[in-house]
PDB file of all heavy atoms in Angstrom:
ATOM      1  N   VAL B  64     -46.752   2.939  17.179  1.00 96.00           N
ATOM      2  CA  VAL B  64     -47.405   3.770  16.178  1.00 96.00           C
ATOM      3  C   VAL B  64     -48.921   3.668  16.327  1.00 96.00           C
ATOM      4  O   VAL B  64     -49.632   4.678  16.278  1.00 96.00           O
ATOM      5  CB  VAL B  64     -46.973   3.353  14.752  1.00 96.00           C
ATOM      6  CG1 VAL B  64     -47.927   3.920  13.717  1.00 96.00           C
ATOM      7  CG2 VAL B  64     -45.553   3.815  14.473  1.00 96.00           C
ATOM      8  N   ALA B  65     -49.407   2.466  16.541  1.00 95.00           N
ATOM      9  CA  ALA B  65     -50.849   2.274  16.697  1.00 95.00           C
ATOM     10  C   ALA B  65     -51.362   2.995  17.933  1.00 95.00           C
ATOM     11  O   ALA B  65     -52.494   3.464  17.980  1.00 95.00           O
ATOM     12  CB  ALA B  65     -51.166   0.779  16.795  1.00 95.00           C
ATOM     13  N   ARG B  66     -50.511   3.077  18.940  1.00 93.00           N
ATOM     14  CA  ARG B  66     -50.923   3.684  20.196  1.00 93.00           C
ATOM     15  C   ARG B  66     -50.847   5.206  20.146  1.00 93.00           C
ATOM     16  O   ARG B  66     -51.438   5.907  20.971  1.00 93.00           O
ATOM     17  CB  ARG B  66     -50.004   3.147  21.299  1.00 93.00           C
ATOM     18  CG  ARG B  66     -50.396   3.584  22.686  1.00 93.00           C
ATOM     19  CD  ARG B  66     -49.289   3.262  23.663  1.00 93.00           C
ATOM     20  NE  ARG B  66     -48.969   1.835  23.677  1.00 93.00           N
ATOM     21  CZ  ARG B  66     -47.869   1.332  24.214  1.00 93.00           C
ATOM     22  NH1 ARG B  66     -46.974   2.129  24.757  1.00 93.00           N
ATOM     23  NH2 ARG B  66     -47.650   0.035  24.192  1.00 93.00           N
ATOM     24  N   GLU B  67     -50.059   5.697  19.208  1.00 89.00           N
ATOM     25  CA  GLU B  67     -49.800   7.140  19.108  1.00 89.00           C
ATOM     26  C   GLU B  67     -51.095   7.929  19.063  1.00 89.00           C
ATOM     27  O   GLU B  67     -51.983   7.655  18.271  1.00 89.00           O
ATOM     28  CB  GLU B  67     -48.967   7.421  17.859  1.00 89.00           C
ATOM     29  CG  GLU B  67     -48.222   8.727  17.898  1.00 89.00           C
ATOM     30  CD  GLU B  67     -47.072   8.689  18.894  1.00 89.00           C
ATOM     31  OE1 GLU B  67     -46.509   7.589  19.114  1.00 89.00           O
ATOM     32  OE2 GLU B  67     -46.749   9.735  19.451  1.00 89.00           O
ATOM     33  N   GLN B  68     -51.208   8.906  19.932  1.00 84.00           N
ATOM     34  CA  GLN B  68     -52.469   9.637  19.987  1.00 84.00           C
ATOM     35  C   GLN B  68     -52.329  11.093  20.383  1.00 84.00           C
ATOM     36  O   GLN B  68     -53.332  11.769  20.553  1.00 84.00           O
ATOM     37  CB  GLN B  68     -53.415   8.953  20.980  1.00 84.00           C
ATOM     38  CG  GLN B  68     -54.299   7.905  20.341  1.00 84.00           C
ATOM     39  CD  GLN B  68     -55.346   7.437  21.320  1.00 84.00           C
ATOM     40  OE1 GLN B  68     -55.194   7.619  22.523  1.00 84.00           O
ATOM     41  NE2 GLN B  68     -56.402   6.842  20.810  1.00 84.00           N
ATOM     42  N   HIS B  69     -51.093  11.556  20.548  1.00 73.00           N
ATOM     43  CA  HIS B  69     -50.956  12.933  21.014  1.00 73.00           C
ATOM     44  C   HIS B  69     -51.493  13.890  19.944  1.00 73.00           C
ATOM     45  O   HIS B  69     -50.769  14.622  19.298  1.00 73.00           O
ATOM     46  CB  HIS B  69     -49.525  13.286  21.387  1.00 73.00           C
ATOM     47  CG  HIS B  69     -48.530  13.020  20.301  1.00 73.00           C
ATOM     48  ND1 HIS B  69     -48.506  13.683  19.114  1.00 73.00           N
ATOM     49  CD2 HIS B  69     -47.521  12.143  20.232  1.00 73.00           C
ATOM     50  CE1 HIS B  69     -47.524  13.238  18.367  1.00 73.00           C
ATOM     51  NE2 HIS B  69     -46.913  12.297  19.020  1.00 73.00           N
ATOM     52  N   ALA B  70     -52.789  13.833  19.789  1.00 67.00           N
ATOM     53  CA  ALA B  70     -53.429  14.694  18.807  1.00 67.00           C
ATOM     54  C   ALA B  70     -52.994  16.132  19.058  1.00 67.00           C
ATOM     55  O   ALA B  70     -52.852  16.572  20.192  1.00 67.00           O
ATOM     56  CB  ALA B  70     -54.940  14.561  18.890  1.00 67.00           C
ATOM     57  N   VAL B  71     -52.772  16.829  17.976  1.00 68.00           N
ATOM     58  CA  VAL B  71     -52.211  18.165  18.080  1.00 68.00           C
ATOM     59  C   VAL B  71     -53.249  19.192  18.538  1.00 68.00           C
ATOM     60  O   VAL B  71     -52.936  20.172  19.172  1.00 68.00           O
ATOM     61  CB  VAL B  71     -51.588  18.561  16.730  1.00 68.00           C
ATOM     62  CG1 VAL B  71     -51.174  20.004  16.724  1.00 68.00           C
ATOM     63  CG2 VAL B  71     -50.395  17.660  16.440  1.00 68.00           C
ATOM     64  N   ILE B  72     -54.487  18.914  18.206  1.00 65.00           N
ATOM     65  CA  ILE B  72     -55.520  19.890  18.560  1.00 65.00           C
ATOM     66  C   ILE B  72     -56.765  19.176  19.081  1.00 65.00           C
ATOM     67  O   ILE B  72     -57.746  19.028  18.376  1.00 65.00           O
ATOM     68  CB  ILE B  72     -55.914  20.736  17.327  1.00 65.00           C
ATOM     69  CG1 ILE B  72     -54.676  21.418  16.775  1.00 65.00           C
ATOM     70  CG2 ILE B  72     -56.949  21.783  17.714  1.00 65.00           C
ATOM     71  CD1 ILE B  72     -54.814  21.834  15.340  1.00 65.00           C
ATOM     72  N   PRO B  73     -56.732  18.744  20.331  1.00 64.00           N
ATOM     73  CA  PRO B  73     -57.880  18.014  20.834  1.00 64.00           C
ATOM     74  C   PRO B  73     -58.976  18.935  21.333  1.00 64.00           C
ATOM     75  O   PRO B  73     -60.149  18.726  21.081  1.00 64.00           O
ATOM     76  CB  PRO B  73     -57.312  17.217  21.998  1.00 64.00           C
ATOM     77  CG  PRO B  73     -55.899  17.719  22.187  1.00 64.00           C
ATOM     78  CD  PRO B  73     -55.714  18.911  21.347  1.00 64.00           C
ATOM     79  N   GLU B  74     -58.595  19.976  22.042  1.00 70.00           N
ATOM     80  CA  GLU B  74     -59.617  20.869  22.592  1.00 70.00           C
ATOM     81  C   GLU B  74     -59.443  22.257  21.990  1.00 70.00           C
ATOM     82  O   GLU B  74     -58.389  22.864  22.108  1.00 70.00           O
ATOM     83  CB  GLU B  74     -59.464  20.962  24.108  1.00 70.00           C
ATOM     84  CG  GLU B  74     -59.512  19.588  24.789  1.00 70.00           C
ATOM     85  CD  GLU B  74     -59.048  19.662  26.216  1.00 70.00           C
ATOM     86  OE1 GLU B  74     -59.233  20.724  26.837  1.00 70.00           O
ATOM     87  OE2 GLU B  74     -58.480  18.668  26.704  1.00 70.00           O
ATOM     88  N   PRO B  75     -60.498  22.738  21.389  1.00 64.00           N
ATOM     89  CA  PRO B  75     -60.403  24.044  20.719  1.00 64.00           C
ATOM     90  C   PRO B  75     -60.408  25.182  21.737  1.00 64.00           C
ATOM     91  O   PRO B  75     -60.904  25.040  22.845  1.00 64.00           O
ATOM     92  CB  PRO B  75     -61.658  24.084  19.861  1.00 64.00           C
ATOM     93  CG  PRO B  75     -62.626  23.201  20.586  1.00 64.00           C
ATOM     94  CD  PRO B  75     -61.826  22.153  21.298  1.00 64.00           C
ATOM     95  N   VAL B  76     -59.846  26.274  21.323  1.00 73.00           N
ATOM     96  CA  VAL B  76     -59.875  27.466  22.166  1.00 73.00           C
ATOM     97  C   VAL B  76     -61.247  28.121  22.017  1.00 73.00           C
ATOM     98  O   VAL B  76     -61.661  28.417  20.899  1.00 73.00           O
ATOM     99  CB  VAL B  76     -58.787  28.463  21.706  1.00 73.00           C
ATOM    100  CG1 VAL B  76     -58.827  29.710  22.571  1.00 73.00           C
ATOM    101  CG2 VAL B  76     -57.424  27.807  21.732  1.00 73.00           C
ATOM    102  N   PRO B  77     -61.946  28.329  23.094  1.00 75.00           N
ATOM    103  CA  PRO B  77     -63.278  28.936  22.985  1.00 75.00           C
ATOM    104  C   PRO B  77     -63.182  30.342  22.407  1.00 75.00           C
ATOM    105  O   PRO B  77     -62.440  31.189  22.907  1.00 75.00           O
ATOM    106  CB  PRO B  77     -63.774  28.965  24.433  1.00 75.00           C
ATOM    107  CG  PRO B  77     -62.554  28.807  25.281  1.00 75.00           C
ATOM    108  CD  PRO B  77     -61.565  28.041  24.476  1.00 75.00           C
ATOM    109  N   GLY B  78     -63.893  30.548  21.364  1.00 74.00           N
ATOM    110  CA  GLY B  78     -63.943  31.882  20.776  1.00 74.00           C
ATOM    111  C   GLY B  78     -62.758  32.274  19.926  1.00 74.00           C
ATOM    112  O   GLY B  78     -62.698  33.396  19.430  1.00 74.00           O
ATOM    113  N   GLY B  79     -61.793  31.362  19.770  1.00 86.00           N
ATOM    114  CA  GLY B  79     -60.606  31.712  19.008  1.00 86.00           C
ATOM    115  C   GLY B  79     -60.817  31.527  17.521  1.00 86.00           C
ATOM    116  O   GLY B  79     -61.678  30.761  17.100  1.00 86.00           O
ATOM    117  N   ASP B  80     -60.037  32.251  16.729  1.00 94.00           N
ATOM    118  CA  ASP B  80     -60.110  32.009  15.296  1.00 94.00           C
ATOM    119  C   ASP B  80     -59.219  30.809  14.949  1.00 94.00           C
ATOM    120  O   ASP B  80     -58.559  30.237  15.819  1.00 94.00           O
ATOM    121  CB  ASP B  80     -59.719  33.263  14.511  1.00 94.00           C
ATOM    122  CG  ASP B  80     -58.250  33.632  14.716  1.00 94.00           C
ATOM    123  OD1 ASP B  80     -57.529  32.849  15.367  1.00 94.00           O
ATOM    124  OD2 ASP B  80     -57.844  34.703  14.247  1.00 94.00           O
ATOM    125  N   LEU B  81     -59.209  30.446  13.686  1.00 96.00           N
ATOM    126  CA  LEU B  81     -58.500  29.233  13.274  1.00 96.00           C
ATOM    127  C   LEU B  81     -57.026  29.257  13.670  1.00 96.00           C
ATOM    128  O   LEU B  81     -56.486  28.284  14.201  1.00 96.00           O
ATOM    129  CB  LEU B  81     -58.641  29.030  11.767  1.00 96.00           C
ATOM    130  CG  LEU B  81     -57.941  27.768  11.216  1.00 96.00           C
ATOM    131  CD1 LEU B  81     -58.532  26.515  11.845  1.00 96.00           C
ATOM    132  CD2 LEU B  81     -58.063  27.699   9.697  1.00 96.00           C
ATOM    133  N   ARG B  82     -56.394  30.385  13.424  1.00 96.00           N
ATOM    134  CA  ARG B  82     -54.977  30.499  13.721  1.00 96.00           C
ATOM    135  C   ARG B  82     -54.703  30.256  15.205  1.00 96.00           C
ATOM    136  O   ARG B  82     -53.771  29.556  15.585  1.00 96.00           O
ATOM    137  CB  ARG B  82     -54.466  31.885  13.316  1.00 96.00           C
ATOM    138  CG  ARG B  82     -52.959  31.946  13.064  1.00 96.00           C
ATOM    139  CD  ARG B  82     -52.418  33.335  13.279  1.00 96.00           C
ATOM    140  NE  ARG B  82     -52.662  33.815  14.624  1.00 96.00           N
ATOM    141  CZ  ARG B  82     -52.032  33.372  15.691  1.00 96.00           C
ATOM    142  NH1 ARG B  82     -51.118  32.432  15.579  1.00 96.00           N
ATOM    143  NH2 ARG B  82     -52.324  33.854  16.879  1.00 96.00           N
TER     144      ARG B  82
END
Side-chain angles (χ1 to χ4, degrees):
Chain B
V64 164
R66 186 192 302 165
E67 201 71 30
Q68 269 189 341
H69 54 66
V71 172
I72 303 159
E74 304 167 30
V76 179
D80 66 6
L81 181 61
R82 203 205 59 72

